[in-house]
Amino acid sequence: MGKTCKPVIVVHGGAGTWNPVPSQPALKSVKEAADAGFNTLRSGGTAVGAVVDAAALLEDTGAFNAGCGSALNIEKRVEMEASVMDGETLQAGAAGLLSSIRNPVRLARVIMEKTDHVFVVGKGAEELAQIFNLERRKPATAVQIERYEAQLKSLLADEWYLLRLAALVKAHPEVFQLETVGAVALDGDGNVAAETSTGGFPLKLAGRIGDSPSIGCGTYADNQSGACSASGVGEIAIRLVLAKTVCNYIENGKTPQEAVEKAVALVNTRISSTYNAIGLISIDVHGRMGAAHNSPNLCWACMTADHKEPVASSKAKFLK
Ligand code: ASP
């Protein structure tokens, strides 16, 4: 098939606080990821290939809550998760409860392309990774453990009870940063794709699955509408089926920017009483893009054929 569309990629490095100093390397990384994904598109690669390449780069930096930078759960263990979706075929793949995979997003792609399933977790997922020779990750780094200790200290200071996590996050946003990574892309054939990868909410219960690997919640792509990747409090994105909701808005005539703003407004009105941080990026089949958040910041970057180089920012449309 001839290439007829101008490719576009949008990536995010999470909805969070992103104070000016830590955000500098993160902004550089999202730019590099947008560049890597766009190179895949420019050389004729698919939207799926582009979002996976962009996410794998971010997983490897250690600067985000994904891949080798993943937050630790309450048992001081890594439990990573990721998903990917192809808007042309509506095929999707997701993996969760991963402890030893270097790039969870690559395993999500294997599940999408090499199995009959959509969502595989834990031991079975790790075994699949072995069969397909996916690289292994190193044990938790000193930075991850240091972050965990700081989070735990903060939690304990408020008498240690997990139900208070929301209040703690609100009181100490700098400690509980949410820095999941995600990408959406449109390729030269006019197909869209989305992916999201995370270590999950810091200090989450062991076995907890969030929105990032849940198709429709953290990730969705459909050529009839567009693609979306979410970041923020996973339990909110799950309850509002947020990524699919954004795609529904696009299908019903909204631009991607209007769609993500409407979805963040939905979060603000329906989930107003708790800590409700959310950040969303989206794209449609015409190459239009959108980004919005109610968190203080959203670390993101985009690249199109009209740009000389990717444009990165720690702010998009802020709605509170
Ligand atoms: N959405 C992710 C989760 O709840 C966290 C994040 O976006 O950083 O697992």
Side-chain angles (χ1 to χ4, degrees):
M1 192 202 273
K3 306 277 174 187
T4 51
C5 280
K6 278 186 172 178
V8 178
I9 186 160
V10 186
V11 310
H12 74 73
T17 317
W18 291 117
N19 293 321
V21 175
S23 72
Q24 287 316 311
L27 286 174
K28 187 168 170 275
S29 296
V30 286
K31 247 175 128 169
E32 285 166 3
D35 207 32
F38 194 77
N39 281 338
T40 302
L41 295 169
R42 194 167 19 210
S43 53
T46 62
V48 168
V51 294
V52 169
D53 288 346
L57 187 149
L58 293 173
E59 287 175 341
D60 281 345
T61 62
F64 301 91
N65 177 12
C68 74
S70 291
L72 305 185
N73 69 11
I74 196 70
E75 295 177 356
K76 212 173 178 176
R77 286 190 287 112
V78 168
E79 282 187 342
M80 301 169 289
E81 47 195 38
S83 66
V84 63
M85 185 161 182
D86 180 344
E88 182 187 13
T89 59
L90 298 186
Q91 297 263 36
L97 306 182
L98 307 174
S99 57
S100 73
I101 314 297
R102 173 172 166 184
N103 292 118
V105 70
R106 295 203 191 283
L107 181 56
R109 185 178 190 175
V110 162
I111 290 164
M112 174 170 84
E113 292 177 347
K114 309 283 187 202
T115 80
D116 300 306
H117 308 305
V118 168
F119 201 171
V120 184
V121 303
K123 191 166 159 277
E126 301 267 350
E127 280 166 7
L128 261 180
Q130 205 153 359
I131 292 170
F132 288 95
N133 290 322
L134 296 191
E135 282 181 55
R136 303 274 133 178
R137 57 166 284 141
K138 297 188 186 80
T141 60
V143 175
Q144 283 170 288
I145 291 169
E146 213 174 282
R147 227 183 274 152
Y148 168 87
E149 303 293 357
Q151 289 160 348
L152 195 58
K153 204 167 142 206
S154 168
L155 201 66
L156 286 169
D158 268 57
E159 293 170 5
W160 176 230
Y161 189 51
L162 206 59
L163 285 179
R164 295 189 177 157
L165 194 55
L168 279 169
V169 170
K170 207 169 185 175
H172 304 281
E174 70 293 348
V175 175
F176 292 90
Q177 285 199 21
L178 304 175
E179 301 155 345
T180 290
V181 305
V184 292
L186 170 71
D187 65 27
D189 288 330
N191 299 315
V192 293
E195 77 70 37
T196 313
S197 176
T198 189
F201 210 96
L203 304 184
K204 65 186 177 181
L205 287 178
R208 176 265 196 186
I209 301 272
D211 61 313
S212 307
S214 304
I215 299 301
C217 305
T219 304
Y220 202 75
D222 181 352
N223 276 7
Q224 290 193 5
S225 49
C228 176
S229 170
S231 173
V233 183
E235 282 69 12
I236 293 174
I238 290 173
R239 284 186 279 154
L240 293 175
V241 199
L242 214 50
K244 172 72 168 129
T245 297
V246 168
C247 290
N248 286 350
Y249 291 154
I250 296 173
E251 193 166 358
N252 292 332
K254 298 284 180 208
T255 64
Q257 186 58 40
E258 289 166 349
V260 290
E261 289 182 24
K262 192 169 157 118
V264 172
L266 178 72
V267 171
N268 290 344
T269 49
R270 298 302 307 276
I271 320 271
S272 54
S273 57
T274 56
Y275 180 70
N276 70 350
I278 283 291
L280 297 165
I281 57 169
S282 82
I283 199 173
D284 69 6
V285 286
H286 310 293
R288 296 178 297 187
M289 55 184 119
H293 53 104
N294 64 5
S295 50
N297 291 295
L298 175 71
C299 175
W300 71 293
C302 64
M303 179 64 186
T304 73
D306 301 329
H307 289 97
K308 275 213 181 77
E309 58 173 45
V311 180
S313 176
S314 57
K315 284 255 182 263
K317 179 75 184 182
F318 173 72
L319 294 139
K320 200 69 192 178

